[in-house]
Amino acid sequence: MSSSDKKIITIVGSGLIGRSWAMVFASGGYTVKIYDNQPGQAAKAITEIRKQLGELEEAHMLRGELNTAQQLALLSSHEDLAQALEGAFFIQECVFEELEAKRSVFQSIEGLVGKDVILSSSTSCLLPSNVFSRVQNRSRCIISHPVNPPYYVKLVELVPHPETEATVMDITYALMTQVGQVPVRLKKEIDGFALNRVQYAIIAESWRLVQDGVISVKDIDLVMSEGLGMRYAFIGPMETMHLNAPEGLEDYLKRYREGMKRVLTGFGPVPDFSGEAAKSITEEMSELIPSNQQHLSARRERRDQLLMGLAKLKQQH
Ligand SMILES: NC(=O)c1ccc[n+]([C@@H]2O[C@H](COP(=O)([O-])OP(=O)(O)OC[C@H]3O[C@@H](n4cnc5c(N)ncnc54)[C@H](O)[C@@H]3O)[C@@H](O)[C@H]2O)c1
Ligand SMILES: *[C@@H]1O[C@H](CO)[C@@H](O)[C@H](O)[C@H]1NC(C)=O
């Protein structure tokens, strides 16, 4: 039995991401208390998790050392915030992506927990200095930004508030590693964090290439899925450069520096993602995958199946 057996984590907000975090932490042997301010929602979350854990077990994709029943036994739902927070050393907030909602939730939480409890937010786009502005002791605050679905896509961006203590970052990093996620540390806060900044750079250039009539929607997606994406599931852009020249990165820069700068200088302005271009790109996309629930759900299912397979493959390497 590991030392985590008695350790408690509270999830505040039990939507898509709150449920995923609960599964991840339970897989690591943590006791997880789930709170939602919608009556009945936290209990519903546990029903949904039970179903998902059953499916995962069947697919031999259940994470952690514990079986489904043992993991389920670690979960409880709570209608009262104070009760949900009792005994927890780590709080993962997963409420709506609205600044005011997050600010007031953290204000309430701080009033109910001890001084050493870590306050962590799942926000995708809000900055720590905004989210935690009403917390008195901000040295214990951090953002732990997951990627959807966290059960297969394990990256967690850890983003500190300017006042976050180094030990809070270290404890969060260790926790994420222990439950099988892959944390990365941002050294300071920045709009979009790292993942969305890189993602938006890719989206923007893909958009410009289609808008400028260089390539079709279908083919730019193939550039990623059959080209860059093949490598990027295993090695990042830095290692890619390092491996792509006989003598490594320095050699790569010697060979390709000028070419990279020339191409990058030719990039167009930030697209406005609206108007005629948006209309025609949306139409082109809808011809490939109609924008109705039936087709979208089928493609989402396919995506999640493929991610499951990729996660399995990555486990072996
Ligand atoms: N969905 C994603 O792909 C994704 C990925 C990474 C991060 N996130 C972030 O995770 C957070 C949650 O997103 P989601 O997709 O799970 O949203 P969601 O709408 O599925 O769930 C939000 C839940 O929070 C509850 N809630 C709202 N206000 C609350 C309050 N004051 N106290 C307690 N519970 C409250 C709601 O009842 C709901 O159950 C957001 O900040 C989002 O940006 C989402
Ligand atoms: C602030 O939070 C840090 C980190 O959890 C903790 O060590 C410290 O004691 C807290 N300070 C006060 C005044 O509560």
Side-chain angles (χ1 to χ4, degrees), residues 83-103:
Q83 192 197 60
L85 295 171
E86 204 182 315
F89 78 103
F90 190 91
I91 317 295
Q92 185 69 33
E93 169 276 314
C94 318
V95 307
F96 298 138
E97 184 76 346
E98 288 161 16
L99 184 54
E100 191 47 41
K102 304 229 186 244
R103 279 180 169 164

Side-chain angles (χ1 to χ4, degrees), residues 178-234:
Q178 198 221 321
V179 298
Q181 297 303 97
V182 179
V184 293
R185 302 168 197 258
L186 269 68
K187 293 170 187 164
K188 53 185 173 186
E189 64 177 11
I190 182 168
D191 201 13
F193 312 151
L195 181 135
N196 274 327
R197 292 181 79 87
V198 173
Q199 172 164 247
Y200 294 160
I202 292 169
I203 288 175
E205 183 54 13
S206 303
W207 188 275
R208 283 186 293 251
L209 288 172
V210 176
Q211 182 180 298
D212 295 349
V214 175
I215 194 167
S216 68
V217 165
K218 182 177 177 204
D219 284 355
I220 193 62
D221 271 5
L222 287 172
V223 168
M224 284 305 296
S225 61
E226 295 295 327
L228 291 174
M230 287 295 286
R231 291 200 286 248
Y232 283 169
F234 297 94

Side-chain angles (χ1 to χ4, degrees), residues 115-117 137 139-140 165 168:
K115 68 178 177 59
D116 289 327
V117 175
N137 183 1
S139 61
R140 51 148 101 188
E165 259 179 29
V168 168

Side-chain angles (χ1 to χ4, degrees), residues 105-113 119 134-137 140:
V105 154
F106 277 115
Q107 193 174 21
S108 313
I109 292 172
E110 186 176 36
L112 295 167
V113 300
L119 309 185
R134 268 185 240 149
V135 175
Q136 306 269 317
N137 183 1
R140 51 148 101 188

